[in-house]
Amino acid sequence: MLFKPTIMLKNKILFIAIAFLQTHLASGQLFKKTSDSYSTVGIGAGSSHYFGDLSPYRSFYYGIYSNVRWNGTINYQVQLNPKFSARAAFTYARIFGNDATYGGKIADDKPAIKTQRLRNLHFRNDMMEFTVMGLYSFRPLDMRKRKGDGLQWSPYVGLGIGIASNNPKARGSILSNGSLQTTVQDWQSLRAMNNETPDKSYSSVVPVIPISLGLKTMITQNLILGVEG
């Protein structure tokens, strides 16, 4: 899960979408001769959160602050008309899971999490993702807004498709002469170990389906503020 606040510049229109921890800065130019059709280029960075066996959904709130990693992205978006836009994006994201640190000390009184910590598994996965998405605004912004006009709100949704690389890794440790001292090994690819099936590695490429929900408003003729998740 990636969280993305966004800043976009369209000619003299500044678009700011703030959603959790990722920030994009974009500059754009007119795509067509109308004020409703334009293009933007954006870059950003933020946080990545893993949910799965090492970060269970039943206590998902621990995954908001446990084992948080980072991501960076670049995107290109075209506003086709007042309601529809299209976006292509490339993202580098690092996710991480660790039984030993999931939930922090606040989770020590939960038996299920204690059992996971005894298991003591971990992994990291550095992923590269390419997606294309269509976005629909239920109430388009009026780009002719004048000073003194009230705020106008534009809710929007997005849906797309893409692919992502998949190469999880983990570190092994070797007990030294039966003592409590251990030697930590380098990160090793788990795909090469065939730990899903004994005779076949899982794919290094996986499909992804990005979904976006947002709300934006025009503060002035040159400033648009939005929230997107």
Side-chain angles (χ1 to χ4, degrees), residues 6-127:
T6 303
I7 299 174
M8 294 183 182
L9 185 64
K10 189 222 45 123
N11 255 10
K12 294 183 178 179
I13 298 296
L14 182 65
F15 177 86
I16 306 175
I18 303 172
F20 302 97
L21 300 176
Q22 187 175 64
T23 301
H24 301 267
L25 179 63
S27 61
Q29 59 186 5
L30 287 178
F31 181 73
K32 294 182 180 178
K33 292 184 179 181
T34 68
S35 61
D36 295 322
S37 300
Y38 54 89
S39 61
T40 61
V41 175
I43 58 174
S47 65
S48 302
H49 307 256
Y50 156 76
F51 299 92
D53 181 53
L54 276 67
S55 181
Y57 294 103
R58 65 179 178 272
S59 52
F60 72 93
Y61 38 87
Y62 292 134
I64 301 298
Y65 64 86
S66 296
N67 303 327
V68 179
R69 287 301 181 265
W70 56 271
N71 68 82
T73 187
I74 183 169
N75 66 71
Y76 178 75
Q77 183 168 326
V78 177
Q79 191 72 33
L80 302 172
N81 58 46
K83 288 191 173 182
F84 288 96
S85 61
R87 178 194 298 168
F90 174 81
T91 300
Y92 180 91
R94 170 170 286 187
I95 58 175
F96 181 75
N98 193 330
D99 283 340
T101 56
Y102 176 69
K105 293 183 179 179
I106 196 173
D108 284 341
D109 58 346
K110 293 202 171 186
I113 295 180
K114 283 186 177 180
T115 300
Q116 283 183 225
R117 291 184 175 170
L118 289 173
R119 179 180 63 175
N120 198 31
L121 294 180
H122 73 279
F123 84 101
R124 80 177 187 190
N125 197 354
D126 297 345
M127 308 176 71

Side-chain angles (χ1 to χ4, degrees), residues 110-174:
K110 293 202 171 186
I113 295 180
K114 283 186 177 180
T115 300
Q116 283 183 225
R117 291 184 175 170
L118 289 173
R119 179 180 63 175
N120 198 31
L121 294 180
H122 73 279
F123 84 101
R124 80 177 187 190
N125 197 354
D126 297 345
M127 308 176 71
M128 291 180 288
E129 176 185 276
F130 176 78
T131 59
V132 291
M133 176 183 286
L135 299 106
Y136 175 80
S137 297
F138 293 100
R139 182 187 297 174
L141 293 175
D142 182 2
M143 308 306 281
R144 296 167 295 180
K145 174 182 170 64
R146 295 293 181 264
K147 185 177 181 180
D149 292 346
L151 291 178
Q152 50 177 317
W153 300 95
S154 176
Y156 62 94
V157 297
L159 179 65
I161 193 170
I163 56 174
S165 62
N166 181 44
N167 186 28
K169 297 181 179 181
R171 274 181 162 172
S173 60
I174 302 174

